[in-house]
Amino acid sequence: MLKNSKAFSSFSANDLDKAKEFYQSTLGLDVRIGQMDNLELHISGSIPVLIYPKPDHEPATFTVLNFPVESVEATVDHLVEKGVQFEHYDYPGLKTNEKGIFRGDGPVIAWFKDPAGNILSVLEID
């Protein structure tokens, strides 16, 4: 029944103006105002991602949005220049380097947060 559905992701933010500025100006995405004044992230090759306001928003404790890129290293450097701070982890099986990049079992990946504290990532996929 749902296998042919074009599913999409959505998550909340406590301040849509800050979210719009971050996703549009910092990340360079096409951000539009959608139905009910929600934000829509229009990302090439995908259905728009919906960001909706939630006054009692609590950031997700997991990655809500992944951006496949050709080079995590180059993307991290570019985003750091725009003020993005990358997360650093030091757990068994998950240790990031000084830039916040994980190179281990799985894809090369780096995590960062949006203004609402939601976790995003950039990762290399073969």
Side-chain angles (χ1 to χ4, degrees), residues 9-12 23 49 59-66 111 114 117-121:
S9 178
S10 68
F11 52 91
S12 68
Y23 286 96
V49 174
T61 58
F62 50 87
T63 308
V64 298
L65 191 57
N66 298 285
W111 295 270
D114 73 1
N118 294 310
I119 301 169
L120 314 174
S121 83

Side-chain angles (χ1 to χ4, degrees), residues 70-80 99 101 103 124:
E70 287 185 23
S71 170
V72 166
E73 185 98 22
T75 303
V76 166
D77 290 346
H78 177 75
L79 291 175
V80 166
K99 289 185 175 185
I101 299 172
R103 297 177 188 279
E124 291 176 21

Side-chain angles (χ1 to χ4, degrees), residues 16-36:
L16 288 188
D17 291 332
K18 284 183 182 177
K20 182 180 182 198
E21 176 68 19
F22 176 78
Y23 286 96
Q24 188 169 311
S25 297
T26 304
L27 300 187
L29 300 179
D30 177 9
V31 180
R32 301 178 195 171
I33 306 299
Q35 295 178 7
M36 299 173 50

Side-chain angles (χ1 to χ4, degrees), residues 66-105:
N66 298 285
F67 294 95
V69 297
E70 287 185 23
S71 170
V72 166
E73 185 98 22
T75 303
V76 166
D77 290 346
H78 177 75
L79 291 175
V80 166
E81 288 177 9
K82 292 184 144 286
V84 174
Q85 295 181 0
F86 282 82
E87 299 297 299
H88 290 83
Y89 300 109
D90 189 2
Y91 303 116
L94 178 63
K95 182 172 177 62
T96 55
N97 67 15
E98 67 282 348
K99 289 185 175 185
I101 299 172
F102 173 73
R103 297 177 188 279
D105 289 338

